[in-house]
Amino acid sequence: MDKKPCNSSPQDAEVRKGPWTMEEDLILINYIANHGEGVWNSLAKSAGLKRTGKSCRLRWLNYLRPDVRRGNITPEEQLLIMELHAKWGNRWSKIAKHLPGRTDNEIKNYWRTRIQKHIKQADQTISQGQSSDGTADQASTSQVGSSSTTALDAMETTYPLCAPTASYQATLVQPPDHHHPTALPPPDSNQESYWSMEDLWSMQLLNGE
DNA sequence: AACTGGTACAACCGCATTACG
DNA sequence: CCGTAATGCGGTTGTACCAGT
């Protein structure tokens, strides 16, 4: 399972992976604050990060950027996501462009963990209703295929957008923000990657650009 | 009080596309 | 025009936390 080193140069054999530490975050924030975004590979090297440019880019775009809004997707955003997804399918980055401050990764995760669950439930409801003549499969199949409109339609049938079921609404209106970095208490020493963005940015400012 | 299952999120991987020499 | 490198995108996986038993 060894991945081939895509940015292969024998010397960067030691490339860090896994969760980012506060220190790495600070370095990246600091560097971009001073030099701006650039070629990510060289940025990673210049900043002294033992990360791939790809990893740096992802971390910056999905987490460190100052304009990233995190947690608490509002019902309005939820509706928008569903509308746009019905229109464009899994074009997460395209959808994200219409939700300022939201990242494609966040929207994708949100869709998969919360909305898709309800689609499945809707599918099950339908297949139960239609007994077993095989048509029930079409919703899920078509979702994987060209577009997810059918599945969404099914979902809207079972969970109408304007009148969500109580449990569905609860999910939407009160997204659990447990263990969300921005909502976390001060980090303990073991969890150095859990710092709020406010902390990081104020530290960055203190470090003095 | 301990264990198990489910949920949510962050990060990685591979592929496709675009830009550049 | 071709080859290579960089970037962007979508899918998937790993991990932490919470709730229920």
Side-chain angles (χ1 to χ4, degrees):
Chain A
M1 293 355 150
D2 296 339
K3 318 106 219 170
K4 54 172 186 213
C6 38
N7 302 337
S8 55
S9 62
Q11 65 195 44
D12 43 2
E14 35 152 356
V15 174
R16 272 186 59 87
K17 285 186 195 173
W20 280 63
T21 65
M22 181 195 66
E23 195 183 5
E24 288 176 309
D25 282 347
L26 275 173
I27 291 172
L28 184 57
I29 289 173
N30 225 338
Y31 189 90
I32 291 178
N34 290 328
H35 302 89
E37 299 176 33
V39 179
W40 288 106
N41 278 332
S42 54
L43 183 152
K45 277 180 195 163
S46 308
L49 289 164
K50 293 180 171 54
R51 296 274 181 173
T52 64
K54 229 176 175 181
S55 178
C56 292
R57 174 183 162 272
L58 201 69
R59 183 66 176 171
W60 174 252
L61 291 181
N62 288 338
Y63 198 89
L64 297 175
R65 259 189 334 176
D67 57 324
V68 170
R69 271 176 72 195
R70 316 194 60 254
N72 289 6
I73 287 192
T74 65
E76 289 78 20
E77 287 176 315
Q78 158 91 28
L79 278 178
L80 192 52
I81 291 171
M82 293 177 71
E83 267 178 36
L84 297 178
H85 187 274
K87 228 192 263 179
W88 296 324
N90 295 359
R91 305 288 171 205
W92 304 116
S93 62
K94 201 171 176 180
I95 293 172
K97 280 174 189 154
H98 292 258
L99 289 137
R102 300 294 183 187
T103 67
D104 56 348
N105 205 34
E106 187 177 12
I107 293 172
K108 179 172 57 180
N109 278 330
Y110 184 78
W111 180 269
R112 295 183 75 88
T113 56
R114 305 201 198 174
I115 300 182
Q116 212 164 51
K117 181 176 62 184
H118 292 280
I119 292 178
K120 263 187 193 165
Q121 289 173 357
D123 279 351
Q124 282 171 2
T125 307
I126 288 169
S127 57
Q128 281 169 7
Q130 291 186 341
S131 71
S132 57
D133 61 2
T135 51
D137 278 0
Q138 279 185 341
S140 56
T141 310
S142 70
Q143 190 209 350
V144 175
S146 55
S147 98
S148 59
T149 321
T150 312
L152 266 176
D153 286 347
M155 178 179 170
E156 286 181 30
T157 308
T158 315
Y159 302 95
L161 292 182
C162 299
T165 63
S167 62
Y168 185 49
Q169 201 165 28
T171 314
L172 302 185
V173 177
Q174 296 188 334
D177 55 357
H178 56 269
H179 84 271
H180 205 282
T182 53
L184 276 177
D188 31 284
S189 49
N190 292 339
Q191 298 180 314
E192 48 184 10
S193 60
Y194 283 167
W195 290 78
S196 76
M197 284 310 302
E198 287 176 11
D199 289 339
L200 286 171
W201 277 97
S202 58
M203 286 179 196
Q204 191 271 325
L205 289 174
L206 285 175
N207 277 348
E209 319 139 334

